[in-house]
Amino acid sequence: MVKRIFDLCIAGKEPMQIAKILKEDKVLTAKAHYAKKKGNPYNWRDSTIVGILERIVNSPAISA
């Protein structure tokens, strides 16, 4: 899933657009286990996308 998010970002999609795509495709969120109990497991947010992308950019594999 991280690769797909990264690919969408590279393709020029903004976090809000990526979140919308993931919701439409019914991609489970990282916290789907808890969300299934309490609500919508497909509730992607732009802040989640930003956090994932920041971790990718700051990872040692990318920095090297």
Side-chain angles (χ1 to χ4, degrees), residues 41-61:
Y42 310 106
N43 192 24
W44 284 90
R45 298 178 184 267
D46 56 329
S47 59
T48 305
I49 304 302
V50 169
I52 290 170
L53 292 171
E54 286 176 346
R55 285 190 292 278
I56 291 171
V57 170
N58 293 325
S59 78

Side-chain angles (χ1 to χ4, degrees), residues 1 4 21-23 25-29 41-44:
M1 182 48 45
R4 182 174 180 199
I21 290 167
L22 297 175
K23 285 179 193 177
D25 290 350
K26 297 198 182 301
V27 175
L28 292 172
T29 64
Y42 310 106
N43 192 24
W44 284 90

Side-chain angles (χ1 to χ4, degrees), residues 17-37:
Q17 294 170 310
I18 295 171
K20 182 179 178 185
I21 290 167
L22 297 175
K23 285 179 193 177
E24 288 172 353
D25 290 350
K26 297 198 182 301
V27 175
L28 292 172
T29 64
K31 296 183 179 183
H33 175 71
Y34 299 107
K36 282 182 180 179
K37 294 179 182 177

